[in-house]
Amino acid sequence: MTEVVHTPRVFSGIQPSGGLTLGNYLGAIKRFVEMQENGVESIYCMVDLHAITVWQDPAKLRHATRELCAGYIAAGLDPEKSILFNQSQVSAHAELGWVFNCVARMGWLNRMTQFKDKAGKNREKVSVGLFSYPTLMAADILVYHATHVPVGEDQKQHVELTRDIAAKFNHDYGVDFFPITEPVIEGAATRVMSLRDGTKKMSKSDPSDMSRINMTDDADTIAKKIRKAKTDPDGLPSEAEGLDGRPEAKNLVSIYAALSEQSVDQVLSEVGGKQFSEFKPMLSELAVEKLSPMSAEMARLMQAPDEIDAILRKGADKARVIADPILQKTLEIVGMVR
Ligand code: ATP
Ligand code: MG
């Protein structure tokens, strides 16, 4: 069998399961914009079908989907350059997701740490969708034959599962159809941690608003959250090794590095020796400087929800042109009469 070379194409998504956080921005959206600017064909989705794996109030879900779109655009994604749409408007995702439910093995999904974290002790009571989430995510990516997926560190395992699904499908049906997608996990803050607990990921669905910085927080709120962020009593070290075993300190320095586009070592050469009482106001100022133009633009875009909906519909039309033939070909490969 000759190996098919897939044209580079980027896909990624974010759930409208709440407001956007600084973690989503640094781990995902900032990378999305860079990839768009590199000129690679890119497709960025608001994955609303993933959001309902846990209960969402319908009105809040609609609002969060539009706000997520506003966040994408405010951060620099251009609907003329990238395809922006919400997942549920392109039914090929869910259809391919079913096929992948029949390709992925229970044992593979049982190993997914996101499910373990989100289900906790409640395994019997969570939705079936929360468990099979990664097969739908594999479909999101592979229905576009995407070759690269920019994500935060927490999604690495799901992209690896996507690769396993692609490889098993290709093997079982004797084809070279789906690409083996590469995760793209880059930058100084690929895993932004909670401001309240340096061992827990910052998440938009965390019940504590003090655990995260939202892209829509105003300057006072950002300053308050950073002032109250957990730290240890020591000052800042001059080299990265000095942050080992100090998750909260490491987190704040990494956020500063990512926002100022420097490495952790570069930041420490500037701030090493300072106390947190001095560093925290510097971090607040930087965060406000970077986030406030985006939150202002988000608020402006949210004044015209009809325009956002029109962008999503247009994006979905473009997405279907790519996804539908790939789904049809998949169904033909597996033996469905066409
Ligand atoms: P939820 O709590 O509902 O799962 P979330 O904040 O984890 O929300 P997702 O929609 O699950 O956000 O993830 C969207 C993207 O943001 C993914 O690429 C994910 O890896 C990235 N991401 C999420 N949280 C962080 C974080 N704390 N640091 C870096 N990247 C993150
Ligand atoms: Mg998440």
Side-chain angles (χ1 to χ4, degrees):
M1 198 171 19
T2 54
E3 202 176 316
V4 180
V5 178
H6 293 274
T7 341
R9 186 181 281 150
V10 172
F11 174 91
S12 198
I14 296 186
Q15 303 181 71
S17 49
L20 283 165
T21 71
L22 183 63
N24 300 139
Y25 175 64
L26 294 175
I29 302 179
K30 203 161 178 287
R31 302 271 94 72
F32 298 178
V33 178
E34 286 164 10
M35 295 189 118
Q36 169 188 273
E37 295 313 311
N38 285 343
V40 190
E41 182 179 21
S42 20
I43 305 168
Y44 299 120
C45 191
M46 286 118 253
V47 286
D48 47 9
L49 296 173
H50 284 282
I52 60 166
T53 55
V54 298
W55 165 254
Q56 303 292 335
D57 173 84
K60 284 192 186 146
L61 177 60
R62 251 186 297 275
H63 180 270
T65 304
R66 292 178 178 132
E67 195 177 71
L68 182 50
C69 183
Y72 278 179
I73 295 171
L77 292 179
D78 176 350
E80 297 301 321
K81 290 190 193 164
S82 295
I83 299 179
L84 308 182
F85 71 104
N86 58 314
Q87 184 188 25
S88 60
Q89 295 208 62
V90 180
S91 59
H93 290 238
E95 290 179 63
L96 186 62
W98 177 258
V99 176
F100 288 168
N101 272 339
C102 304
V103 174
R105 306 288 95 184
M106 288 293 285
W108 299 1
L109 290 179
N110 272 327
R111 285 194 290 273
M112 296 296 111
T113 56
Q114 175 175 290
F115 178 74
K116 290 180 199 164
D117 291 345
K118 290 198 170 186
K121 292 191 186 72
N122 212 17
R123 276 186 84 100
E124 298 293 311
K125 296 276 171 66
V126 295
S127 73
V128 176
L130 192 68
F131 183 73
S132 64
Y133 183 115
T135 59
L136 180 58
M137 178 164 156
D140 298 336
I141 295 167
L142 294 174
V143 84
Y144 300 99
H145 278 186
T147 55
H148 296 84
V149 183
V151 279
E153 169 70 36
D154 62 299
Q155 291 301 323
K156 186 166 184 235
Q157 197 185 29
H158 289 165
V159 182
E160 279 163 2
L161 187 101
T162 301
R163 295 162 62 92
D164 291 342
I165 289 177
K168 183 166 165 55
F169 183 97
N170 289 346
H171 173 268
D172 288 357
Y173 292 100
V175 290
D176 191 357
F177 185 60
F178 288 115
I180 307 299
T181 309
E182 293 287 339
V184 182
I185 302 171
E186 285 172 351
T190 55
R191 188 176 179 85
V192 178
M193 307 310 280
S194 157
L195 300 179
R196 308 304 282 167
D197 176 353
T199 63
K200 238 174 90 183
K201 186 182 86 68
M202 182 182 283
S203 289
K204 63 176 115 67
S205 65
D206 192 299
S208 162
D209 193 57
M210 290 301 284
S211 71
R212 61 176 163 261
I213 292 171
N214 302 302
M215 275 177 73
T216 50
D217 282 343
D218 61 26
D220 288 347
T221 310
I222 292 175
K224 182 172 124 203
K225 286 178 175 175
I226 292 178
R227 198 166 59 241
K228 297 209 166 188
K230 190 175 163 198
T231 44
D232 55 42
D234 296 337
L236 287 158
S238 304
E239 276 154 25
E241 294 77 63
L243 295 169
D244 290 347
R246 301 175 62 190
E248 285 85 11
K250 188 174 179 184
N251 188 37
L252 297 184
V253 174
S254 304
I255 293 174
Y256 192 96
L259 284 172
S260 60
E261 321 240 356
Q262 301 179 81
S263 68
V264 165
D265 277 315
Q266 280 170 321
V267 173
L268 290 175
S269 70
E270 180 194 340
V271 302
K274 286 194 197 301
Q275 295 301 311
F276 279 103
S277 54
E278 220 180 319
F279 177 66
K280 281 179 163 183
M282 289 172 65
L283 178 58
S284 301
E285 200 183 313
L286 177 64
V288 170
E289 179 196 318
K290 298 287 174 183
L291 294 181
S292 62
M294 288 189 278
S295 66
E297 180 61 4
M298 281 171 79
R300 193 189 67 76
L301 292 163
M302 286 301 280
Q303 301 288 314
D306 292 351
E307 283 172 31
I308 293 181
D309 294 1
I311 289 171
L312 294 177
R313 273 196 305 273
K314 219 170 133 189
D317 290 342
K318 292 191 214 164
R320 264 184 238 110
V321 171
I322 305 173
D324 285 349
I326 293 176
L327 173 70
Q328 290 310 322
K329 182 71 193 165
T330 309
L331 295 174
E332 193 189 310
I333 290 170
V334 304
M336 309 280 161
V337 174
R338 280 347 258 156

